[in-house]
Amino acid sequence: MKLLIIIVVVIVVPLFFVLMLVISAYNRLVALRNRYKNSYAQIDVQLKRRYDLIPNLVETAKGYIKHERETLEAVIKARNLAFSASQTAAANPGDASAVKTLASAESGLAGAMSRLMVVSEAYPDLKANQNMMQLTEELTSTENKISCARQAYNDSVMAYNTQRAMFQTNLIAKTVNFASAGHFVVYE
């Protein structure tokens, strides 16, 4: 009987504690992965809002800047590329290459939108148009929300990647394929 107690104390109790550490580390990784996926969902909501606003902005501008057709087409093309990249990234926000592709498409869209705003400055009637002013204000507000959501996502990714890289968690992450997540950085 004493031998059985010694075996339990020497073997089973330490194994129990090791098992608890493994379970705890795994659960931390799951929680952090869910946090960055939720953070990406917040970005996705704002991106969809912006993608919905852009065609309205282009339609409003179309009546005033007929000579700038290339600029308007570039905005629509960039919007469509970004929308497509957004759908791919939304399917798996942990895929670093999908997030990088989206960031690149978003940079292209930001450049095209910037050119549209510069061109619109040359048309006083367009600048004074009430619908254009409202859409521009909504777009600016949405851009600010996207920026905040992107920061929250990047913070969540950093916490996840940091936890994933720590010694004991790293062993578990490699074993059960918790891949590194990519940051969402837009270069404007």
Side-chain angles (χ1 to χ4, degrees):
M1 186 66 175
K2 287 184 178 187
L3 182 62
L4 183 63
I5 293 173
I6 292 173
I7 291 174
V8 167
V9 169
V10 170
I11 296 175
V12 175
V13 171
L15 282 177
F16 175 77
F17 284 113
V18 168
L19 181 64
M20 289 292 102
L21 286 173
V22 168
I23 290 170
S24 174
Y26 178 83
N27 287 341
R28 270 193 310 265
L29 284 171
V30 168
L32 291 170
R33 181 180 60 194
N34 288 342
R35 189 173 299 149
Y36 83 71
K37 285 183 176 184
N38 180 56
S39 295
Y40 183 83
Q42 301 307 312
I43 294 173
D44 195 42
V45 166
Q46 297 306 322
L47 289 176
K48 285 178 182 171
R49 175 180 159 83
R50 182 175 64 184
Y51 299 148
D52 290 344
L53 286 172
I54 289 172
N56 296 334
L57 189 71
V58 169
E59 280 303 312
T60 300
K62 222 182 244 186
Y64 292 92
I65 55 175
K66 294 174 185 164
H67 302 2
E68 304 291 343
R69 183 174 175 195
E70 290 175 8
T71 302
L72 296 173
E73 288 174 355
V75 168
I76 293 299
K77 182 180 177 186
R79 179 248 182 224
N80 291 341
L81 285 171
F83 181 73
S84 176
S86 173
Q87 289 179 319
T88 302
N92 186 8
D95 182 0
S97 66
V99 173
K100 187 175 181 177
T101 301
L102 174 58
S104 176
E106 284 294 318
S107 293
L109 179 57
M113 290 300 297
S114 173
R115 286 187 295 281
L116 176 61
M117 292 303 150
V118 167
V119 166
S120 71
E121 291 291 319
Y123 294 87
D125 291 342
L126 177 59
K127 279 177 40 178
N129 179 290
Q130 201 64 27
N131 194 27
M132 184 69 169
M133 288 172 25
Q134 180 184 1
L135 287 169
T136 302
E137 179 62 36
E138 284 184 48
L139 195 59
T140 300
S141 172
T142 302
E143 293 291 342
N144 291 336
K145 290 175 185 175
I146 290 169
S147 179
C148 290
R150 197 170 53 235
Q151 180 62 45
Y153 170 79
N154 286 338
D155 290 346
S156 297
V157 164
M158 185 182 68
Y160 168 78
N161 285 341
T162 300
Q163 184 66 47
R164 189 186 158 283
M166 291 182 175
F167 173 69
Q168 116 191 12
T169 313
N170 188 338
L171 299 174
I172 295 161
K174 286 180 181 178
T175 305
V176 291
N177 293 327
F178 276 89
S180 179
H183 287 85
F184 189 163
V185 180
V186 175
Y187 301 100
E188 296 179 25

